[in-house]
Amino acid sequence: MDYIRNFCIIAHIDHGKSTLADRLLQTTGTVSDRDMKEQTLDDMDIERERGITIKSHAIQMDYIHEGEKYVLNLIDTPGHVDFSYEVSRSIAACEGALLIVDAAQGIQAQTISNLYLALEHELEIIPILNKMDLPGAMPEEVKDQIEELILCGREDIIAASGKTGMGVHDILSAIINRIPPPQGNPNAPLKALIFDSVFNPFRGIIAYFRIIDGELNKGDNIQFINTQKSYFADEIGVLRLEQEPKEVVKTGDVGYIISGIKEAKEVKVGDTITLLKEPTTDAIKGFEDVKPMVFAGIYPVDTEDFEELRDSMSKLQLNDASLVFEPESSAALGFGFRCGFLGMLHMEIIQERLEREFGMTVITTVPNVSYHAYLKKDPDKIVVVNNPTDLPEPNYLDHVEEPYINAQVITSADYVGSIMSLCIDKRGILKNQVYLTSNRVELTFEMPMAEVVFDFYDKLKSVSRGYASFDYHPIGYRQSILVKLDILLNAKVVDALSAVIHRDKAYEFGKKICEKLRELIPRHQFEIPIQAAIGAKVISRENIRAMRKDVTAKCYGGDISRKRKLLEKQKKGKKRMRQVGNVEIPQSAFMAVLKIND
């Protein structure tokens, strides 16, 4: 165990984490130059294109330092705020962390958030100043920020560049000298932490784990403590670039287990593995079920593709256990699914993967969060509302609670005013304002989650010209004055356009939607009223005028009563048409609601 080092890499999105991991793999000879490609640990095309890590990865490296051979287990972590639970479990499997900071951008919100997670688990932090080769690098300023943040000595900060390979040997030496070896009891009952799982179409679900105490042998009967399910260890081994089977995986090691599990739901990140015949008495702390934060309806463009969409979603769920979906139907869009996501990025990725991997073109409804509704007749019972159409009518409703978050924004001092007005406009309450340096400010707000899921991130980037970074975590539910806003076309409610919204913003939002729909819905043979209503009260209305045929064109001269007769006949026909006619809503109308505030 003295020659094992387990460490992870924490950084804000796009600070060069994957590139630096590539250099470590190359320097230790884990990946040959022939097999080397950019972002080696990122498997998906989307990860490569966007330059982000979506799934965490693990890989084992060998390194000879001062004549001794060391085993280094690198556990890569996702960089985006949506996947913070996965990050916390990866951190729990390590003794040390490389804190990577971009020398050109400085410390960002996600860096601080993940750093606090690492400090909670008492990890040894090695600060690294990356991208030193960039012409815009500000090493001295950023070193000041790192010193203030983690109270380390200036000489402890390693200057590096993932692109050129500068400082990589210093990083490897620091991992061996500064990060402590694993502290576990090899003779205790088996206790291992699952920090990730992947799906293999031939072998089923493969779970990645780190052994805290005891050891795991091939052929052992094992049990997952939180799900109470038991399995047979069909194959175990360590994670090189390819999986390497072993007969035994010992204390402190990171490995994988294949036991023919077919359901992704059975392997939960953060669960504890133990032996069936002599189980451990204490499970690893920190396990929680990952709860979706954002809900949206996903519908096939062609209703006949419903079964195909169901298969595609089931296959995606095998790779991504945090995706939750259930069938629902809408009068406007037909059959589809109500899906739960970890956040907006997660929702975008699922949508993109459906299109790329399965060729499914889908319509996504307005995203919303999960609300708690309380009824007058039974005030103690909570009705969980994931879909705006499920919100009870106002006469039955006592009050509604919505989820709040603690939002952390780090930005340059020049943009503080515009960011404050953006957050206050989104019903945020300023809780704290700290100057990290003379020009960098950390703002902390408490705000409703519903205001963030819509278009907050895009607006934040535009008001700060890309210089603000954002991070959040949930802080519970609070009572708010919320109403259900319905959109009626030709006096029929279009359920796919319904939204739960704060009463003060309902009129403005309803007016904007009505104006937008008037532009996008094509004219029909009859007049179409577009209305926004709260309950039975209409708060906004627009009309789409009918396409009119000039029925009096054939009357040349003659008595006026002939023209009147024809116009009256046309009027009756239009009235009858309006009663039986269906309004065709183009797909662009549903997409426009998502961009209503642009």
Side-chain angles (χ1 to χ4, degrees), residues 373-376 385 388-400 482-484 486 493 533-537:
Y374 293 84
L375 303 175
K376 284 177 181 169
V385 179
T389 51
D390 298 340
L391 191 73
E393 291 300 318
N395 47 338
Y396 298 117
L397 205 56
D398 185 51
H399 66 276
V400 184
L482 299 168
V483 290
K484 181 173 76 169
D486 286 321
V493 175
I534 298 170
K537 185 183 176 189

Side-chain angles (χ1 to χ4, degrees), residues 26-246:
Q26 218 172 1
T27 309
T28 55
T30 310
V31 181
S32 66
D33 290 346
R34 193 181 66 179
D35 296 334
M36 195 68 206
K37 56 186 179 188
E38 283 201 7
Q39 290 170 256
T40 309
L41 295 181
D42 294 345
D43 302 336
M44 287 185 257
D45 292 342
I46 304 175
E47 292 183 310
R48 289 219 160 78
E49 280 169 30
R50 291 188 171 211
I52 56 175
T53 302
I54 296 165
K55 280 288 283 169
S56 57
H57 296 266
I59 194 161
Q60 192 177 86
M61 304 177 273
D62 293 333
Y63 184 62
I64 293 166
H65 178 71
E66 294 174 0
E68 297 286 355
K69 186 180 171 188
Y70 287 85
V71 173
L72 312 179
N73 288 311
L74 159 63
I75 298 173
D76 195 11
T77 59
H80 197 273
V81 57
D82 286 2
F83 309 108
S84 52
Y85 175 67
E86 281 189 30
V87 176
S88 80
R89 295 299 85 207
S90 297
I91 285 172
C94 301
E95 278 80 37
L98 305 183
L99 175 76
I100 296 183
V101 180
D102 187 326
Q105 293 180 39
I107 285 170
Q108 308 274 303
Q110 193 66 37
T111 320
I112 292 183
S113 166
N114 288 347
L115 173 68
Y116 288 156
L117 278 176
L119 291 173
E120 272 174 37
H121 288 89
E122 296 176 1
L123 264 61
E124 178 64 41
I125 309 289
I126 299 175
I128 295 165
L129 198 57
N130 197 20
K131 301 196 186 180
M132 286 291 285
D133 57 314
L134 289 183
M138 312 173 292
E140 296 310 313
E141 284 179 43
V142 181
K143 276 183 181 176
D144 291 342
Q145 293 175 21
I146 296 172
E147 273 186 271
E148 282 180 40
L149 184 67
I150 58 172
L151 307 172
C152 64
R154 209 174 181 82
E155 66 285 351
D156 295 339
I157 302 168
I158 301 170
S161 165
K163 195 174 274 184
T164 62
M166 164 192 172
V168 173
H169 286 288
D170 297 341
I171 294 170
L172 289 164
S173 302
I175 290 168
I176 289 162
N177 295 327
R178 292 199 220 167
I179 295 175
Q183 303 293 316
N185 181 356
N187 303 315
L190 172 69
K191 180 163 76 171
L193 167 74
I194 298 175
F195 62 84
D196 197 13
S197 67
V198 292
F199 174 72
N200 181 307
F202 306 107
R203 314 292 305 269
I205 305 288
I206 303 170
Y208 295 169
F209 61 84
R210 146 81 201 271
I211 296 188
I212 310 291
D213 291 329
E215 62 181 37
L216 177 61
N217 291 284
K218 185 180 176 179
D220 279 344
N221 285 314
I222 55 158
Q223 183 179 31
F224 292 178
I225 288 182
N226 287 293
T227 57
Q228 288 295 306
K229 291 189 182 290
S230 51
Y231 304 99
F232 175 75
D234 200 19
E235 183 186 307
I236 59 169
V238 294
L239 297 150
R240 297 277 171 166
L241 197 55
E242 301 292 327
Q243 288 158 354
E244 201 174 279
K246 297 264 183 189

Side-chain angles (χ1 to χ4, degrees), residues 469-502:
S469 59
F470 173 66
D471 179 47
Y472 67 85
H473 57 266
I475 51 171
Y477 280 74
R478 294 184 188 175
Q479 189 174 333
S480 291
I481 310 163
L482 299 168
V483 290
K484 181 173 76 169
L485 184 75
D486 286 321
I487 302 297
L488 292 86
L489 286 180
N490 203 13
K492 290 179 190 150
V493 175
V494 182
D495 48 7
L497 292 175
S498 296
V500 175
I501 197 160
H502 196 271

